[in-house]
Amino acid sequence: MRNFYVCVDLASPVIPTKGWLTLDAILGAQLFRETGDMEVAHENIPLAKTKGVWHGSAAFFDIGETGRAAFGRSMKLSDLLEGNWVPFGKTKYPYFVDQSRNQAANQWGAKLNTYPTLSSEHVYWFGKGDMEQVAKLFNGIREGWGIGKKVSHGYGRIQSVMIEECDIDRSFQLQDGSPARPIEYKHWISMTGKPDITTFIESWAMPYFCSERVLCAIPANHIMSCSQASDQV
């Protein structure tokens, strides 16, 4: 297991998820794409692990322009059920689909969701683990996927990936003493003894979308300049 940092050159803006885009989440998602096995995706991540926490930092982005992207509501299998469609007047044109997905009936208007976008040149992660396997997984992400939401629409595309070994493990704690990823607060205190940090009720273990949410130490923000990233190692 080696300490390393990842520098990714982005080819398109990113639509961030509600989480922190931690390195273990990024690698686990790619493992699932390659194997179709959820257990492998959650347990075979090529990173070290301490007290149940993978040694993979949150994603840190270069300062970039922010924006909004609008998308029409996606279709679901339930939209094909009888009663979810109404004719478009007395014409031969396609039917409207009920857009509500709740108890209110006949909300036939088109629904749009908007997402925040971030245009950064680079994104950084810090980790400890098998650098060769991490590089292999990132190559798969670069070739066919991306990071964040709506990658099938061209967001979060990766242009190139650089992974370099470093002397210090920054996957848990950055140089300034702040958390590099969500860590359960009691574990953070036992590891560092630093109580004066940013906290929030968060998920700290995979699968992040359904694991228990507890008080966690979290990064102060997700922005990091190139010089700040270089200073970490």
Side-chain angles (χ1 to χ4, degrees):
M1 296 285 182
R2 292 184 286 173
N3 305 320
F4 62 88
Y5 78 100
V6 182
C7 176
V8 163
D9 290 339
L10 293 169
S12 64
V14 173
I15 297 179
T17 66
K18 292 182 180 179
W20 289 92
L21 290 174
T22 58
L23 182 59
D24 53 305
I26 297 293
L27 300 178
Q30 182 60 20
L31 277 170
F32 181 73
R33 296 184 192 110
E34 294 180 359
T35 66
D37 189 320
M38 191 64 74
E39 184 176 352
V40 169
H42 290 161
E43 299 298 332
N44 289 18
I45 298 169
L47 297 174
K49 200 174 189 181
T50 299
K51 293 185 177 181
V53 185
W54 293 105
H55 282 251
S57 76
F60 295 97
F61 293 88
D62 266 341
I63 297 172
E65 293 185 0
T66 59
R68 305 288 297 184
F71 294 89
R73 170 190 169 280
S74 61
M75 298 285 285
K76 304 290 184 182
L77 288 176
S78 61
D79 293 329
L80 302 179
L81 296 176
E82 184 178 355
N84 285 353
W85 295 81
V86 295
F88 187 76
K90 296 182 179 180
T91 70
K92 60 184 177 181
Y93 291 102
Y95 288 12
F96 282 139
V97 64
D98 188 341
Q99 300 276 326
S100 61
R101 290 190 185 159
N102 56 37
Q103 298 302 313
N106 304 324
Q107 297 183 16
W108 307 109
K111 299 289 185 181
L112 288 176
N113 289 326
T114 61
Y115 297 91
T117 62
L118 178 61
S119 298
S120 295
E121 290 188 8
H122 306 101
V123 57
Y124 311 98
W125 287 273
F126 305 95
K128 179 179 182 179
D130 186 328
M131 289 176 58
E132 288 73 21
Q133 289 300 313
V134 170
K136 181 180 177 181
L137 289 171
F138 261 106
N139 190 53
I141 299 170
R142 180 184 60 81
E143 290 180 350
W145 297 90
I147 62 170
K149 288 179 174 289
K150 302 296 183 181
V151 295
S152 62
H153 292 263
Y155 287 86
R157 293 295 185 181
I158 293 176
Q159 182 170 307
S160 63
V161 181
M162 179 186 70
I163 302 179
E164 291 192 0
E165 187 173 3
C166 54
D167 295 331
I168 303 172
D169 178 11
R170 294 295 186 194
S171 59
F172 284 0
Q173 187 175 10
L174 300 177
Q175 185 185 45
D176 64 2
S178 65
R181 56 157 297 131
I183 300 174
E184 190 170 3
Y185 186 72
K186 65 180 182 181
H187 291 330
W188 170 263
I189 293 297
S190 68
M191 287 187 293
T192 69
K194 294 181 177 293
D196 188 19
I197 40 83
T198 305
T199 60
F200 198 72
I201 303 299
E202 281 278 10
S203 298
W204 58 274
M206 294 183 68
Y208 291 103
F209 63 89
C210 66
S211 62
E212 182 184 10
R213 293 169 60 85
V214 298
L215 183 66
C216 288
I218 62 171
N221 61 66
H222 63 271
I223 300 299
M224 181 179 291
S225 69
C226 182
S227 61
Q228 288 173 324
S230 298
D231 289 342
Q232 301 297 324
V233 297

